[in-house]
Amino acid sequence: MNDWQTTIGLEIHVQLLTNSKIFSSSSTAYGSKPNRQASYVDVGMPGTLPVLNKSVIKKAIEFGLAINGSISKKSIFARKNYFYPDLPKNYQISQLDLPIVEGGFITIEGDKGILKKINITRAHLEEDAGKSIHSEQNNCTYIDLNRAGTPLLEIVSEPEISSALEAVQYMKKIHSIVTFLQICDGNMQEGSFRCDANVSINKKGDKQLGTRTELKNINSFKFVEKAINYEIRRQIDIVEEGSKVIQETRLYDEEKDITKSMRSKEEANDYRYFPDPDLLPIEIDSDYITQIKSDLPDLPDVKEKYYRTEYNLTDEQLNIILNKPSFIKIVDEILDISKIDPIKIINYFISSLYPKINKDNFSLDENPYLPKSFCETIDAIENGLIPKHSLKKIIDEIFLNKDSVSEILQKYSSEEHDDDLIDQTISDIIENNKKQVDEYKSGKTKILGFFVGQVLKNIKGVNPSIVKDKIIKALNSV
Amino acid sequence: MEIYKKSISELSNLLDKKSISSVEMTKYFINRINSYDSKLNSFITIDEESAEKEAKEADEIISKKKHSLLTGIPIAHKDLFSTKGTLTTCGSKMLENYIPPFNATVVEKLKKKGMVSLGKTNMDEFAMGSSNESSFFGHVKNPWNLEKVPGGSSGGSAAAVAARLVPIATGSDTGGSIRQPASFCGLTGLKPTYGSVSRYGMIAYASSLDQGGPIGKSAKDCAKIYDVIKGFDKNDPTSNKKTSLKSIDFKSHKEYAKNITIGLPKEYFSEELDENILSKAQDSIKVFKKMGFKFKDISLSSNNLSIPAYYIIASAEASSNLSRYDGVKFGYRCKNPKNLEDLYMRTRKEGFGKEVKKRIMIGAYALSSGYYDEYYIRALKIRRIIRDSFMSAFNEVDYIFAPTSPSTAFNIGEKTSNAVEMYLSDIYTTSINLAGLPAASIPVGMINDLPVGMQIIGNYFSENTILNIANSFQEETDWHKKIPGEFDNE
């Protein structure tokens, strides 16, 4: 086994997160009843024409820029012709020559633990097909065209991946980029992110690559690893037995953990690609690209380095923060405003604010004051002005409240107190500070602050105004 | 009243003055169809019920004085324009049961103006043909001579208007399918600039060439329809925002003829041209010269390349456009398919006619790996050369005048066994589609009681002047008023 080396190229299909389909106005939402989201265009009714949903262009450009790819100023759609029942027109609108993104790369952690650059050949736009649902029971096939026309970005890597683990690393990296940029929801179970793997083996040192097989439609990181590993083993066994690997398309059977032949090259389609005469070329001007570039958030890689070196944030914290650009934006502001220890404030953030902004898909535009309110609240807690257990309730209140946070804090600081504890503490302090009591008695009322401070120091989160009242009472009765 | 002879504006006047109601007018033309069309077979569907309903609505609008010039006037649509709720067959068995759930943009726009659709006209199957002999619903006969073809593929529309069964009709022109039947039937037909009329809902043959337009009795009638159907449509990304929305503005030739130079391409007047047609062409040129138009000999040397380039490009696009007819979703499905492959094979074998299958095979071959560069890419290069040669011609002259077809209407069955000869009957028309230019065919004379047509070709979006030139000719001549004798009575 050690004599062999593996060469893998991945084609990842990313469903772009748009409200409507790539060439029609029907919804792309997942899970509705069959064929409820298929318009005349999606069904391929005679005479219908595709009309490009422009929002897919922006998303493709964002991806292209994020991987340092080049954006084609002129890009064209082509028809890929093949017959399949869930492909209503019996051609798929895709791109062949002049795809929207050419070139680019990402960096993954390679097998030897060192960083490895994987080049990306291209990324192109296309429409998804529908689904065929086979029923053994009724001996028939049902067709659901809800998915037909969902926009896809197909990302094609160079054959530079050397193992199943590297393939998983690569796939995870692409997944994190497209979900981070919010151009895809990343939901692999619903098929929003799926991949085909081209796998071949050859002897170490051989320049000539072995015959490749294509593993189709794998929709989890785990299965990518298993399918590729099975396929490598299978190919090595074949060659070691003196046979030849056949170029073919194979399907991974998740239950049996094997790959099965789907069709061989001889049966493969000649797709008869040609430019789609129904669609004009996409022309993208450089100002538009520049604008998208300037709006593009720093990718997790860049941010990670910054948080580590500037703030010493922990792996655990980074794992959460680096998930979404909206988290990063808020965290950046919090770190900027807060005067307390960064690790501490981020821990507060993760335990209190993060669950809420994650759940509500909060964006800073909805309440730009939130980071400041949050920092003031944490300051008040750290200074013992309000009890820690009130934090959750305060977060709920400051969440969409754009007014000053001080009133809210005031309310919570007076909420609960333990009279006996306060009284006992006050009497202890009076007992131990006779000199200050005398000063007070002699008319130096400013000394009152000293007593309040002492109490607050002993009882975290107690309301200062209640303490003040009680101290005056106690001092007067001495 | 001889309603059948009336122009659109005359009909409009009658409706406006309430000399006749739209219901009466509609019944009048339906009666003509019922009495004459058995001779012609120009209609696939006659929709009496819905026509009457639309006519009633039109009458109400007229009584409220909210009508347009076209309100209440009957029209017929070539059977490739999708009509909501009405059978739309495209001349094919494949769609013999297909009822679209929506209207083509062309149909919708005319309906909004209050026009009354009488039905759907016969055509070559999927618009593939030059003689209307490839229709699944039987061939159409030429009203001028029932032994002759009406031309194609809009043969039904041309025959119906020529026999005055309907005042005007829509057609489509991929390689000459409006102009050639107009010329064979003594009518005026306008093939607009590619992109000026929406293709939405028009069943595709060759997407980069197809263009809808009117076939009528005169340039003025065609202009009234073109004014309504033209313009950008958000449902058709290839429709062009540059299309002028201004109505065609007719002028006297005295106002503009002297400023116009018309080119006569020598390749269109070569040996292939019937000498009788040549002499009719020369007669018509004399009429134009008398009005003050100037003429100049020019060359369009690439024209001989147009037929092969056209048949590669059109067939390639068709092979893909027609893939959707597979028996799965709509249209014809073979009986008891054994499996998926059987369903595909038999549905398409039984549902498509011979000419359609031939072009699908030519197209699929031209796009196959190994042949793509040699055929498809080369055809695209020729297309570019043809376009360039027109552009350089338009540096020399303002418009081009040329025969529409090398012959008058030929006999039914005469060319069906010889594909090349049939294809060559489009020799003067296809290059205009490849270049995407506008052109109108007008009747300029008769040979042996068969009409002769000439086309006026202009630069992009020059429909206004093309129709003006056509109209100026029609103000000086009566060829467009000739009616085939058998149909020239109430």
Side-chain angles (χ1 to χ4, degrees), chain B residues 438-458:
Chain B
S441 178
I442 51 169
V444 299
M446 303 285 287
I447 299 166
N448 299 330
D449 291 329
L450 286 172
V452 177
M454 293 286 288
Q455 53 180 340
I456 302 152
I457 305 155

Side-chain angles (χ1 to χ4, degrees), chain A residues 40 43-51 79 81 83-85 88-91 143 270 272-275 277-278 280, chain B residues 98 101-102 199 201-202 207 234-238 320-321 323-326 329-330 340 344 364 367-369 372 376:
Chain A
Y40 303 146
V43 179
M45 291 296 242
T48 55
L49 296 167
V51 179
R79 292 187 185 175
N81 294 286
F83 279 80
Y84 207 75
K89 302 183 292 292
N90 286 320
Y91 61 80
I143 293 165
D270 174 355
R272 290 174 280 116
Y273 276 102
F274 74 108
D278 286 333
L280 301 177
Chain B
Y98 175 63
F102 63 98
R199 293 187 296 116
M202 198 174 97
S207 312
K234 65 175 172 42
N235 291 324
D236 175 5
T238 62
S320 173
N321 283 334
S323 293
R324 70 190 65 198
Y325 308 107
D326 57 4
K329 303 160 294 274
F330 40 71
L340 182 62
Y344 285 158
L367 291 175
S368 306
S369 72
Y372 182 77
Y376 185 72

Side-chain angles (χ1 to χ4, degrees), chain B residues 154 168-173 176-180 182-183 187-193 196-197 211-216 218-219 221-227 229-230 248 250 432 437-442 455-458 462-468 470:
Chain B
S154 313
I168 196 155
T170 54
S172 71
D173 193 316
S177 286
I178 285 176
R179 289 161 290 156
Q180 186 249 25
S183 118
L187 300 169
T188 305
L190 173 69
K191 182 259 163 203
T193 305
S196 69
V197 173
Q211 190 61 201
I215 298 181
S218 67
D221 279 6
C222 286
K224 298 202 168 56
I225 298 302
Y226 176 66
D227 277 341
I229 63 176
K230 68 187 176 182
I248 304 287
F250 284 107
I432 286 99
L437 294 166
S441 178
I442 51 169
Q455 53 180 340
I456 302 152
I457 305 155
S462 65
E463 284 83 354
N464 193 47
T465 310
I466 289 176
L467 289 171
N468 263 283

Side-chain angles (χ1 to χ4, degrees), chain A residues 49-117:
Chain A
L49 296 167
V51 179
L52 180 64
N53 175 352
K54 296 223 166 67
S55 70
V56 303
I57 298 173
K58 183 169 181 246
K59 290 185 161 54
I61 295 174
E62 285 174 338
F63 177 77
L65 294 172
I67 58 152
N68 305 296
S70 83
I71 310 299
S72 307
K73 296 272 160 59
K74 184 181 169 185
S75 175
I76 55 171
F77 285 106
R79 292 187 185 175
K80 180 180 182 180
N81 294 286
Y82 65 98
F83 279 80
Y84 207 75
D86 58 27
L87 186 68
K89 302 183 292 292
N90 286 320
Y91 61 80
Q92 179 193 29
I93 304 176
S94 179
Q95 299 194 288
L96 183 68
D97 298 328
L98 303 179
I100 191 152
V101 177
E102 282 188 281
F105 64 88
I106 59 165
T107 312
I108 62 164
E109 199 176 309
D111 283 340
K112 290 152 203 152
I114 47 169
L115 292 182
K116 180 172 176 183
K117 184 173 155 186

Side-chain angles (χ1 to χ4, degrees), chain A residues 204-216:
Chain A
K204 272 183 185 158
D206 260 11
K207 291 240 167 83
Q208 180 82 32
L209 290 179
T211 304
R212 68 188 157 86
T213 57
E214 187 182 15
L215 309 178
K216 273 270 180 213

Side-chain angles (χ1 to χ4, degrees), chain B residues 123-286:
Chain B
M123 57 182 283
D124 278 300
E125 185 179 8
F126 282 99
M128 297 177 188
S130 315
S131 64
N132 218 125
E133 290 168 287
S134 77
S135 170
F136 173 68
F137 300 92
H139 57 257
V140 179
K141 291 170 189 162
N142 190 319
W144 289 95
N145 179 339
L146 299 178
E147 309 284 306
K148 306 278 179 185
V149 302
S153 65
S154 313
S157 289
V161 178
R164 304 309 195 249
L165 307 187
V166 63
I168 196 155
T170 54
S172 71
D173 193 316
T174 306
S177 286
I178 285 176
R179 289 161 290 156
Q180 186 249 25
S183 118
F184 280 13
C185 292
L187 300 169
T188 305
L190 173 69
K191 182 259 163 203
T193 305
Y194 181 80
S196 69
V197 173
S198 168
R199 293 187 296 116
Y200 184 75
M202 198 174 97
I203 298 179
Y205 157 26
S207 312
S208 74
L209 300 159
D210 294 345
Q211 190 61 201
I215 298 181
K217 298 192 287 269
S218 67
K220 275 194 164 157
D221 279 6
C222 286
K224 298 202 168 56
I225 298 302
Y226 176 66
D227 277 341
V228 174
I229 63 176
K230 68 187 176 182
F232 175 74
D233 176 12
K234 65 175 172 42
N235 291 324
D236 175 5
T238 62
S239 70
N240 201 315
K241 285 183 176 154
K242 284 185 210 147
T243 311
S244 163
L245 296 176
K246 263 175 58 187
S247 295
I248 304 287
D249 165 29
F250 284 107
K251 293 182 188 132
S252 155
H253 66 84
K254 287 179 187 123
E255 288 178 62
Y256 74 100
K258 61 180 185 305
N259 302 326
I260 290 199
T261 307
I262 297 174
L264 299 169
K266 63 171 196 262
E267 293 78 7
Y268 285 67
F269 294 91
S270 64
E271 285 150 20
E272 287 123 48
L273 185 63
D274 181 300
E275 48 184 66
N276 292 318
I277 293 184
L278 181 63
S279 100
K280 295 295 164 193
Q282 282 159 347
D283 290 350
S284 62
I285 292 166
K286 274 180 208 147

Side-chain angles (χ1 to χ4, degrees), chain B residues 44-87:
Chain B
I44 291 174
T45 302
I46 304 158
D47 209 337
E48 284 187 45
E49 214 173 289
S50 87
E52 204 170 313
K53 191 171 149 263
E54 286 176 9
K56 270 185 192 150
E57 286 165 13
D59 280 332
E60 269 173 46
I61 292 167
I62 293 168
S63 71
K64 286 180 194 152
K65 300 248 172 248
K66 284 182 177 165
H67 54 293
S68 77
L69 184 108
L70 294 174
T71 309
I73 294 176
I75 190 169
H77 294 297
K78 185 175 182 178
D79 209 18
L80 53 55
F81 288 99
S82 299
T83 43
K84 187 175 176 175
T86 299
L87 201 62

